[in-house]
Amino acid sequence: MLEDLTLRIFQTLERELSKKGILLVDQLPSLITKLEDAIAQDAKERQALGDDQLKSDRLGQRAFPFLKLLKASLKKEEVVVWGV
């Protein structure tokens, strides 16, 4: 399930999930907005369905650390790089 959520996060950001990658500073504001919007939409849909069973697999819970990283990188004006 976690792999599915990771893939969903990257699909939300319109990015390919790969072993290596970079997010540039000028891309961060739109990526943050896309992720925040997706988290809000996921929460809204779960509330409408009364989804209590899958609380541990909600998008916001899994995306929060990544969202925090994106915001910190934007604040420091640093790129996000992985797999180097």
Side-chain angles (χ1 to χ4, degrees):
M1 185 60 88
L2 293 180
E3 187 175 316
D4 292 343
L5 286 170
T6 302
L7 181 58
R8 184 172 170 199
I9 290 168
F10 275 79
Q11 288 173 338
T12 297
L13 300 178
E14 299 174 354
R15 302 282 301 200
E16 183 180 340
L17 178 58
S18 59
K19 293 181 182 185
K20 294 182 180 181
I22 185 168
L23 303 174
L24 303 175
V25 175
D26 64 332
Q27 297 171 319
L28 295 177
S30 67
L31 297 176
I32 290 167
T33 299
K34 286 179 186 180
L35 195 51
E36 288 176 333
D37 290 348
I39 291 168
Q41 183 63 31
D42 182 68
K44 190 178 195 180
E45 289 171 3
R46 286 175 175 275
Q47 185 177 15
L49 294 173
D51 189 356
D52 290 330
Q53 287 183 314
L54 300 175
K55 283 188 176 183
S56 64
D57 293 329
R58 69 186 193 276
L59 181 62
Q61 181 180 9
R62 299 296 177 203
F64 181 75
F66 188 59
L67 182 59
K68 188 174 176 181
L69 171 74
L70 296 178
K71 288 180 177 182
S73 295
L74 179 60
K75 185 175 181 179
K76 293 180 181 183
E77 297 183 1
E78 295 178 351
V79 297
V80 177
V81 181
W82 64 94
V84 197

Coordinates of all heavy atoms in Angstrom, one line a residue:
M1 N 0.8 -1.2 0.0 CA 0.0 0.0 0.0 C 0.9 1.3 0.0 O 0.5 2.2 -0.6 CB -0.9 0.0 1.2 CG -1.9 1.1 1.2 SD -3.0 1.2 -0.2 CE -4.3 0.2 0.3
L2 N 2.0 1.2 0.7 CA 2.8 2.4 0.8 C 3.4 2.8 -0.6 O 3.5 3.9 -1.0 CB 4.0 2.2 1.8 CG 3.6 2.1 3.2 CD1 4.8 1.9 4.1 CD2 2.9 3.4 3.6
E3 N 3.8 1.7 -1.4 CA 4.3 1.9 -2.7 C 3.2 2.6 -3.6 O 3.5 3.5 -4.4 CB 4.7 0.6 -3.3 CG 5.4 0.8 -4.7 CD 5.9 -0.5 -5.2 OE1 6.5 -1.3 -4.5 OE2 5.7 -0.7 -6.4
D4 N 2.0 2.2 -3.4 CA 0.9 2.8 -4.2 C 0.7 4.3 -3.8 O 0.5 5.1 -4.7 CB -0.5 2.1 -3.9 CG -0.5 0.7 -4.4 OD1 0.3 0.4 -5.3 OD2 -1.4 -0.1 -4.0
L5 N 0.9 4.6 -2.5 CA 0.8 6.0 -2.1 C 1.9 6.8 -2.6 O 1.8 8.0 -3.0 CB 0.6 6.1 -0.6 CG -0.7 5.7 -0.1 CD1 -0.7 5.6 1.5 CD2 -1.8 6.7 -0.5
T6 N 3.1 6.3 -2.6 CA 4.3 7.0 -3.2 C 4.1 7.3 -4.6 O 4.3 8.4 -5.1 CB 5.6 6.1 -3.0 OG1 5.7 5.9 -1.6 CG2 6.8 6.9 -3.5
L7 N 3.6 6.3 -5.4 CA 3.3 6.5 -6.8 C 2.2 7.5 -7.0 O 2.3 8.4 -7.8 CB 2.9 5.2 -7.4 CG 2.6 5.2 -8.9 CD1 3.8 5.7 -9.7 CD2 2.1 3.8 -9.4
R8 N 1.2 7.5 -6.1 CA 0.1 8.5 -6.2 C 0.7 9.9 -5.9 O 0.3 10.9 -6.6 CB -0.9 8.2 -5.2 CG -2.1 9.1 -5.3 CD -3.2 8.6 -4.4 NE -4.3 9.6 -4.3 CZ -5.2 9.7 -3.4 NH1 -5.2 8.7 -2.5 NH2 -6.1 10.6 -3.4
I9 N 1.6 10.1 -5.0 CA 2.2 11.4 -4.7 C 2.9 11.9 -6.0 O 2.7 13.0 -6.4 CB 3.2 11.3 -3.5 CG1 2.4 11.1 -2.2 CG2 4.0 12.6 -3.4 CD1 3.2 10.7 -1.0
F10 N 3.7 11.0 -6.6 CA 4.4 11.5 -7.8 C 3.5 11.7 -9.0 O 3.8 12.6 -9.7 CB 5.6 10.5 -8.1 CG 6.8 10.8 -7.3 CD1 6.9 10.4 -6.0 CD2 7.9 11.5 -7.9 CE1 8.1 10.7 -5.3 CE2 9.0 11.8 -7.2 CZ 9.1 11.4 -5.8
Q11 N 2.5 10.9 -9.1 CA 1.5 11.2 -10.1 C 0.8 12.5 -9.9 O 0.6 13.3 -10.9 CB 0.5 10.1 -10.2 CG 1.0 8.8 -10.8 CD 0.1 7.6 -10.7 OE1 -0.9 7.6 -9.9 NE2 0.3 6.6 -11.5
T12 N 0.5 12.8 -8.7 CA -0.1 14.1 -8.3 C 0.8 15.3 -8.7 O 0.3 16.3 -9.2 CB -0.4 14.2 -6.8 OG1 -1.3 13.2 -6.5 CG2 -0.9 15.5 -6.4
L13 N 2.1 15.1 -8.5 CA 3.1 16.1 -8.9 C 3.4 16.1 -10.4 O 4.2 16.9 -10.8 CB 4.4 15.9 -8.1 CG 4.2 16.0 -6.6 CD1 5.5 15.7 -5.9 CD2 3.6 17.3 -6.1
E14 N 2.8 15.2 -11.1 CA 3.1 15.0 -12.5 C 4.5 14.8 -12.8 O 5.2 15.3 -13.7 CB 2.5 16.2 -13.3 CG 1.0 16.4 -13.2 CD 0.5 17.6 -13.8 OE1 1.3 18.5 -14.3 OE2 -0.7 17.8 -13.8
R15 N 5.1 13.9 -11.9 CA 6.5 13.5 -12.0 C 6.6 12.0 -12.1 O 5.8 11.3 -11.5 CB 7.3 14.0 -10.8 CG 7.2 15.5 -10.5 CD 8.2 16.2 -11.4 NE 9.5 15.8 -11.2 CZ 10.6 16.5 -11.5 NH1 10.5 17.6 -12.0 NH2 11.8 16.0 -11.3
E16 N 7.7 11.5 -12.8 CA 7.9 10.1 -12.9 C 8.6 9.7 -11.6 O 9.5 10.3 -11.1 CB 8.8 9.8 -14.1 CG 9.1 8.3 -14.3 CD 10.0 8.1 -15.4 OE1 10.1 8.9 -16.3 OE2 10.6 7.0 -15.5
L17 N 8.1 8.6 -11.0 CA 8.8 8.0 -9.9 C 10.0 7.3 -10.3 O 9.9 6.3 -11.0 CB 7.8 7.1 -9.1 CG 8.4 6.4 -7.9 CD1 8.9 7.4 -6.8 CD2 7.3 5.5 -7.3
S18 N 11.2 7.7 -10.0 CA 12.4 7.1 -10.4 C 13.4 7.1 -9.3 O 13.3 7.7 -8.3 CB 13.0 7.9 -11.6 OG 13.3 9.3 -11.2
K19 N 14.5 6.3 -9.5 CA 15.5 6.1 -8.5 C 16.4 7.4 -8.3 O 16.9 7.6 -7.2 CB 16.4 5.0 -8.8 CG 15.7 3.6 -8.8 CD 16.7 2.5 -9.1 CE 15.9 1.2 -9.1 NZ 16.7 0.0 -9.3
K20 N 16.4 8.2 -9.3 CA 17.2 9.5 -9.2 C 16.3 10.6 -9.7 O 15.4 10.4 -10.6 CB 18.4 9.5 -10.1 CG 19.5 8.5 -9.7 CD 20.6 8.6 -10.6 CE 21.7 7.6 -10.2 NZ 22.9 7.7 -11.1
G21 N 16.4 11.8 -9.0 CA 15.6 12.9 -9.5 C 16.0 14.2 -8.8 O 16.8 14.2 -7.9
I22 N 15.4 15.2 -9.3 CA 15.7 16.6 -8.8 C 14.4 17.4 -9.0 O 13.7 17.3 -10.0 CB 16.9 17.2 -9.5 CG1 17.2 18.6 -8.9 CG2 16.7 17.4 -11.0 CD1 18.6 19.2 -9.3
L23 N 14.1 18.2 -8.0 CA 13.1 19.2 -8.1 C 13.7 20.6 -7.9 O 14.4 20.8 -6.9 CB 12.0 19.0 -7.0 CG 11.4 17.6 -6.9 CD1 10.5 17.5 -5.7 CD2 10.6 17.3 -8.2
L24 N 13.6 21.4 -8.9 CA 14.2 22.8 -8.9 C 13.4 23.7 -8.0 O 12.2 23.6 -7.8 CB 14.3 23.3 -10.3 CG 15.1 22.4 -11.3 CD1 15.0 23.0 -12.7 CD2 16.5 22.2 -10.8
V25 N 14.0 24.7 -7.5 CA 13.4 25.7 -6.6 C 12.2 26.4 -7.3 O 11.2 26.5 -6.6 CB 14.5 26.7 -6.1 CG1 13.8 27.8 -5.3 CG2 15.6 26.1 -5.3
D26 N 12.3 26.7 -8.5 CA 11.2 27.4 -9.2 C 10.0 26.5 -9.4 O 8.9 26.9 -9.7 CB 11.7 28.0 -10.5 CG 12.2 27.0 -11.6 OD1 12.6 26.0 -11.2 OD2 12.1 27.4 -12.8
Q27 N 10.2 25.2 -9.3 CA 9.1 24.2 -9.4 C 8.4 24.0 -8.1 O 7.2 23.6 -8.1 CB 9.6 22.8 -9.9 CG 10.3 22.9 -11.3 CD 11.0 21.6 -11.6 OE1 11.6 21.0 -10.7 NE2 10.8 21.1 -12.8
L28 N 9.0 24.3 -7.0 CA 8.5 23.9 -5.7 C 7.1 24.6 -5.4 O 6.2 23.9 -4.9 CB 9.5 24.2 -4.6 CG 10.8 23.4 -4.7 CD1 11.8 23.8 -3.6 CD2 10.5 21.9 -4.6
P29 N 6.9 25.9 -5.7 CA 5.6 26.4 -5.3 C 4.4 25.7 -5.9 O 3.4 25.4 -5.3 CB 5.7 27.9 -5.8 CG 7.1 28.2 -5.8 CD 7.8 26.9 -6.2
S30 N 4.5 25.4 -7.2 CA 3.4 24.6 -7.9 C 3.3 23.2 -7.4 O 2.2 22.7 -7.2 CB 3.5 24.7 -9.4 OG 4.7 23.9 -9.8
L31 N 4.4 22.6 -7.1 CA 4.4 21.2 -6.6 C 3.7 21.2 -5.2 O 2.9 20.3 -4.9 CB 5.8 20.6 -6.5 CG 6.5 20.4 -7.9 CD1 7.9 19.9 -7.7 CD2 5.7 19.5 -8.8
I32 N 4.1 22.1 -4.4 CA 3.5 22.2 -3.0 C 2.0 22.4 -3.1 O 1.2 21.7 -2.4 CB 4.1 23.4 -2.2 CG1 5.6 23.0 -1.9 CG2 3.3 23.7 -1.0 CD1 6.4 24.1 -1.3
T33 N 1.5 23.3 -4.0 CA 0.1 23.5 -4.2 C -0.6 22.3 -4.7 O -1.7 21.9 -4.2 CB -0.1 24.7 -5.2 OG1 0.5 25.9 -4.7 CG2 -1.6 25.0 -5.4
K34 N 0.0 21.6 -5.7 CA -0.6 20.4 -6.2 C -0.8 19.3 -5.1 O -1.8 18.7 -4.9 CB 0.2 19.8 -7.3 CG 0.1 20.5 -8.6 CD 1.0 19.9 -9.6 CE 1.0 20.7 -10.9 NZ 1.9 20.1 -11.9
L35 N 0.2 19.2 -4.3 CA 0.2 18.2 -3.2 C -0.8 18.6 -2.1 O -1.6 17.7 -1.6 CB 1.6 18.0 -2.6 CG 1.8 16.8 -1.7 CD1 1.3 15.5 -2.4 CD2 3.3 16.6 -1.4
E36 N -0.8 19.8 -1.7 CA -1.8 20.3 -0.7 C -3.2 20.1 -1.2 O -4.1 19.7 -0.5 CB -1.5 21.7 -0.3 CG -0.3 21.9 0.5 CD 0.0 23.4 0.8 OE1 -0.3 24.3 0.0 OE2 0.7 23.6 1.8
D37 N -3.5 20.4 -2.5 CA -4.8 20.2 -3.1 C -5.2 18.8 -3.1 O -6.4 18.5 -2.8 CB -4.9 20.8 -4.5 CG -4.8 22.3 -4.5 OD1 -4.9 23.0 -3.5 OD2 -4.6 22.9 -5.6
A38 N -4.3 17.9 -3.4 CA -4.6 16.5 -3.5 C -4.9 15.9 -2.1 O -5.8 15.1 -1.9 CB -3.4 15.7 -4.1
I39 N -4.1 16.4 -1.1 CA -4.4 16.0 0.3 C -5.7 16.4 0.8 O -6.5 15.7 1.4 CB -3.3 16.5 1.2 CG1 -1.9 15.8 0.9 CG2 -3.7 16.4 2.7 CD1 -0.7 16.5 1.6
A40 N -6.1 17.7 0.5 CA -7.4 18.2 0.9 C -8.5 17.4 0.2 O -9.6 17.1 0.8 CB -7.5 19.7 0.5
Q41 N -8.4 17.1 -1.1 CA -9.4 16.3 -1.9 C -9.5 14.9 -1.3 O -10.6 14.4 -1.2 CB -9.0 16.3 -3.3 CG -10.0 15.6 -4.2 CD -11.4 16.3 -4.2 OE1 -11.4 17.5 -4.1 NE2 -12.4 15.6 -4.4
D42 N -8.4 14.3 -1.0 CA -8.4 13.0 -0.4 C -9.2 13.0 0.9 O -10.0 12.1 1.2 CB -7.0 12.4 -0.2 CG -7.0 11.0 0.4 OD1 -7.4 10.1 -0.4 OD2 -6.6 10.9 1.5
A43 N -8.9 13.9 1.8 CA -9.6 14.0 3.1 C -11.1 14.3 2.9 O -11.9 13.7 3.6 CB -9.0 15.2 3.9
K44 N -11.4 15.1 1.9 CA -12.8 15.4 1.6 C -13.6 14.1 1.2 O -14.7 13.8 1.6 CB -12.9 16.5 0.6 CG -14.2 17.1 0.3 CD -14.1 18.2 -0.7 CE -15.3 19.0 -0.8 NZ -15.2 20.1 -1.8
E45 N -12.9 13.4 0.3 CA -13.6 12.2 -0.3 C -13.7 11.1 0.8 O -14.7 10.4 0.9 CB -12.7 11.6 -1.4 CG -12.8 12.4 -2.7 CD -11.8 12.0 -3.7 OE1 -11.0 11.0 -3.5 OE2 -11.7 12.7 -4.8
R46 N -12.7 11.0 1.7 CA -12.8 10.0 2.8 C -13.9 10.4 3.8 O -14.6 9.5 4.3 CB -11.4 9.9 3.5 CG -10.4 9.1 2.7 CD -9.1 9.1 3.4 NE -8.1 8.3 2.7 CZ -8.0 7.0 2.8 NH1 -8.8 6.4 3.7 NH2 -7.2 6.3 2.1
Q47 N -14.0 11.7 4.0 CA -15.1 12.1 5.0 C -16.4 11.8 4.4 O -17.3 11.4 5.1 CB -14.9 13.6 5.2 CG -15.9 14.1 6.3 CD -15.7 15.6 6.6 OE1 -15.0 16.3 5.9 NE2 -16.2 16.0 7.7
A48 N -16.6 12.1 3.1 CA -17.9 11.8 2.4 C -18.3 10.3 2.5 O -19.4 10.0 2.6 CB -17.8 12.3 1.0
L49 N -17.2 9.5 2.4 CA -17.5 8.0 2.4 C -17.6 7.5 3.8 O -17.9 6.3 3.9 CB -16.4 7.3 1.6 CG -16.3 7.6 0.1 CD1 -15.0 7.0 -0.5 CD2 -17.5 7.1 -0.6
G50 N -17.2 8.2 4.8 CA -17.1 7.7 6.1 C -16.1 6.7 6.3 O -16.2 5.6 6.9
D51 N -14.9 6.9 5.6 CA -13.9 5.9 5.5 C -13.0 5.9 6.8 O -12.0 6.6 6.9 CB -13.0 6.2 4.3 CG -12.0 5.2 4.0 OD1 -11.9 4.2 4.8 OD2 -11.3 5.3 3.0
D52 N -13.4 5.0 7.7 CA -12.6 4.9 9.0 C -11.6 3.8 8.9 O -10.6 3.7 9.7 CB -13.5 4.7 10.2 CG -14.3 5.9 10.5 OD1 -13.8 7.0 10.2 OD2 -15.5 5.7 11.0
Q53 N -11.8 2.8 8.0 CA -11.0 1.6 8.0 C -9.6 1.9 7.5 O -8.6 1.3 7.9 CB -11.6 0.6 7.1 CG -12.8 -0.1 7.7 CD -13.3 -1.2 6.8 OE1 -13.5 -1.0 5.6 NE2 -13.6 -2.4 7.4
L54 N -9.4 2.8 6.6 CA -8.1 3.1 5.9 C -7.4 4.3 6.4 O -6.7 4.9 5.7 CB -8.3 3.1 4.4 CG -8.9 1.9 3.8 CD1 -9.2 2.1 2.3 CD2 -8.0 0.7 4.0
K55 N -7.7 4.7 7.6 CA -7.1 6.0 8.1 C -5.6 5.9 8.0 O -4.9 6.9 7.8 CB -7.5 6.3 9.5 CG -8.9 6.8 9.6 CD -9.2 7.3 11.0 CE -10.6 7.9 11.0 NZ -11.0 8.4 12.3
S56 N -5.0 4.8 8.2 CA -3.5 4.7 8.2 C -2.9 4.8 6.8 O -1.8 5.0 6.6 CB -3.1 3.3 8.8 OG -3.5 2.3 8.0
D57 N -3.8 4.7 5.8 CA -3.3 4.8 4.4 C -3.8 6.1 3.7 O -3.7 6.2 2.5 CB -3.8 3.6 3.6 CG -3.2 2.3 4.1 OD1 -2.0 2.4 4.5 OD2 -3.9 1.3 4.0
R58 N -4.1 7.1 4.5 CA -4.6 8.3 3.9 C -3.4 9.1 3.3 O -2.3 9.0 3.8 CB -5.4 9.2 4.8 CG -4.6 9.8 6.0 CD -5.6 10.5 6.9 NE -4.9 11.3 7.8 CZ -4.3 10.8 9.0 NH1 -4.4 9.6 9.3 NH2 -3.6 11.7 9.8
L59 N -3.7 9.8 2.2 CA -2.6 10.5 1.5 C -1.9 11.5 2.4 O -0.7 11.6 2.3 CB -3.2 11.2 0.2 CG -2.2 11.9 -0.6 CD1 -1.2 11.0 -1.2 CD2 -3.0 12.6 -1.8
G60 N -2.6 12.3 3.1 CA -2.0 13.3 4.0 C -1.0 12.8 4.9 O 0.1 13.4 5.1
Q61 N -1.3 11.6 5.5 CA -0.3 11.0 6.5 C 1.0 10.7 5.8 O 2.1 10.9 6.3 CB -0.9 9.8 7.1 CG 0.0 9.2 8.1 CD -0.7 8.0 8.8 OE1 -1.7 7.5 8.4 NE2 -0.1 7.4 9.8
R62 N 0.9 10.1 4.6 CA 2.1 9.6 3.9 C 2.8 10.8 3.2 O 4.0 10.8 3.0 CB 1.7 8.6 2.9 CG 1.1 7.4 3.5 CD 2.1 6.7 4.4 NE 1.5 5.5 5.1 CZ 1.9 5.0 6.2 NH1 2.9 5.5 6.8 NH2 1.3 4.0 6.7
A63 N 2.1 11.8 2.8 CA 2.7 12.9 2.0 C 3.2 14.0 2.9 O 4.1 14.8 2.4 CB 1.6 13.5 1.0
F64 N 2.8 14.0 4.2 CA 3.2 15.2 5.0 C 4.7 15.3 5.1 O 5.2 16.4 5.0 CB 2.6 15.0 6.4 CG 3.0 16.2 7.3 CD1 2.4 17.4 7.2 CD2 3.9 16.0 8.3 CE1 2.8 18.5 8.0 CE2 4.3 17.0 9.1 CZ 3.7 18.3 9.0
P65 N 5.5 14.3 5.4 CA 7.0 14.5 5.5 C 7.6 15.0 4.2 O 8.5 15.9 4.2 CB 7.5 13.1 5.8 CG 6.4 12.4 6.4 CD 5.2 12.9 5.7
F66 N 7.1 14.6 3.0 CA 7.6 15.0 1.7 C 7.1 16.5 1.5 O 7.9 17.3 1.1 CB 7.0 14.2 0.6 CG 7.6 14.4 -0.7 CD1 9.0 14.4 -0.9 CD2 6.8 14.8 -1.8 CE1 9.6 14.6 -2.2 CE2 7.4 15.0 -3.0 CZ 8.7 14.9 -3.2
L67 N 5.9 16.8 1.9 CA 5.4 18.2 1.8 C 6.3 19.1 2.7 O 6.6 20.2 2.3 CB 4.0 18.3 2.2 CG 3.3 19.6 2.1 CD1 3.3 20.2 0.7 CD2 1.8 19.5 2.6
K68 N 6.6 18.7 3.9 CA 7.4 19.4 4.8 C 8.8 19.7 4.2 O 9.4 20.8 4.3 CB 7.5 18.7 6.1 CG 8.2 19.5 7.2 CD 8.1 18.7 8.5 CE 8.9 19.4 9.6 NZ 8.9 18.7 10.9
L69 N 9.4 18.7 3.5 CA 10.7 18.8 2.8 C 10.6 19.8 1.7 O 11.5 20.7 1.6 CB 11.1 17.4 2.3 CG 12.3 17.4 1.4 CD1 13.6 17.6 2.2 CD2 12.4 16.2 0.6
L70 N 9.5 19.8 0.9 CA 9.4 20.7 -0.2 C 9.3 22.1 0.3 O 9.9 23.1 -0.2 CB 8.1 20.4 -1.0 CG 8.1 19.1 -1.7 CD1 6.8 18.9 -2.5 CD2 9.3 18.9 -2.7
K71 N 8.5 22.3 1.4 CA 8.4 23.7 2.0 C 9.7 24.2 2.6 O 10.1 25.4 2.4 CB 7.3 23.7 3.0 CG 5.9 23.6 2.5 CD 4.9 23.6 3.5 CE 3.5 23.6 3.0 NZ 2.4 23.6 4.0
A72 N 10.4 23.3 3.2 CA 11.7 23.7 3.8 C 12.7 24.0 2.7 O 13.5 25.0 2.8 CB 12.3 22.6 4.7
S73 N 12.7 23.3 1.6 CA 13.6 23.5 0.5 C 13.3 24.9 -0.2 O 14.2 25.6 -0.6 CB 13.5 22.4 -0.5 OG 14.0 21.2 0.0
L74 N 12.0 25.2 -0.3 CA 11.6 26.4 -0.9 C 12.1 27.6 0.0 O 12.6 28.6 -0.5 CB 10.1 26.5 -1.1 CG 9.5 27.8 -1.7 CD1 10.1 28.0 -3.0 CD2 8.0 27.7 -1.7
K75 N 11.9 27.5 1.3 CA 12.2 28.5 2.2 C 13.7 28.8 2.2 O 14.2 29.9 2.2 CB 11.8 28.1 3.6 CG 12.1 29.2 4.7 CD 11.6 28.8 6.0 CE 11.8 29.9 7.0 NZ 11.3 29.5 8.4
K76 N 14.5 27.7 2.0 CA 16.0 27.9 2.0 C 16.5 28.1 0.5 O 17.7 28.2 0.3 CB 16.7 26.6 2.6 CG 16.4 26.5 4.0 CD 17.1 25.2 4.6 CE 16.8 25.1 6.1 NZ 17.5 23.9 6.6
E77 N 15.6 28.0 -0.4 CA 15.9 28.2 -1.8 C 16.9 27.1 -2.3 O 17.9 27.4 -2.9 CB 16.4 29.6 -2.2 CG 15.3 30.6 -1.9 CD 15.7 32.0 -2.3 OE1 16.8 32.2 -2.8 OE2 14.9 32.9 -2.1
E78 N 16.6 25.9 -1.9 CA 17.5 24.7 -2.3 C 16.7 23.7 -3.1 O 15.5 23.5 -2.9 CB 18.0 24.1 -1.0 CG 19.0 25.0 -0.2 CD 19.4 24.3 1.1 OE1 19.0 23.2 1.4 OE2 20.3 24.9 1.7
V79 N 17.4 23.1 -4.0 CA 16.8 22.0 -4.8 C 16.6 20.8 -3.9 O 17.2 20.6 -2.9 CB 17.6 21.7 -6.0 CG1 17.8 22.8 -7.0 CG2 19.0 21.1 -5.6
V80 N 15.7 19.9 -4.4 CA 15.5 18.6 -3.7 C 16.1 17.6 -4.7 O 15.7 17.5 -5.8 CB 14.0 18.3 -3.5 CG1 13.8 16.9 -2.9 CG2 13.4 19.4 -2.6
V81 N 17.0 16.8 -4.2 CA 17.7 15.8 -5.0 C 17.7 14.5 -4.3 O 17.8 14.4 -3.1 CB 19.2 16.2 -5.2 CG1 19.9 15.2 -6.1 CG2 19.3 17.6 -5.8
W82 N 17.5 13.4 -5.0 CA 17.5 12.1 -4.4 C 18.2 11.1 -5.4 O 18.3 11.3 -6.6 CB 16.2 11.5 -4.0 CG 15.2 11.3 -5.1 CD1 15.0 10.1 -5.8 CD2 14.3 12.3 -5.8 NE1 14.0 10.3 -6.8 CE2 13.6 11.6 -6.8 CE3 14.1 13.7 -5.5 CZ2 12.7 12.3 -7.6 CZ3 13.2 14.3 -6.3 CH2 12.5 13.6 -7.3
G83 N 18.8 10.1 -4.8 CA 19.4 9.0 -5.5 C 20.7 9.3 -6.2 O 21.2 8.6 -7.1
V84 N 21.4 10.3 -5.7 CA 22.7 10.7 -6.3 C 23.8 9.9 -5.7 O 23.9 9.6 -4.6 CB 23.0 12.2 -6.1 CG1 24.0 12.7 -7.0 CG2 21.7 13.1 -6.2

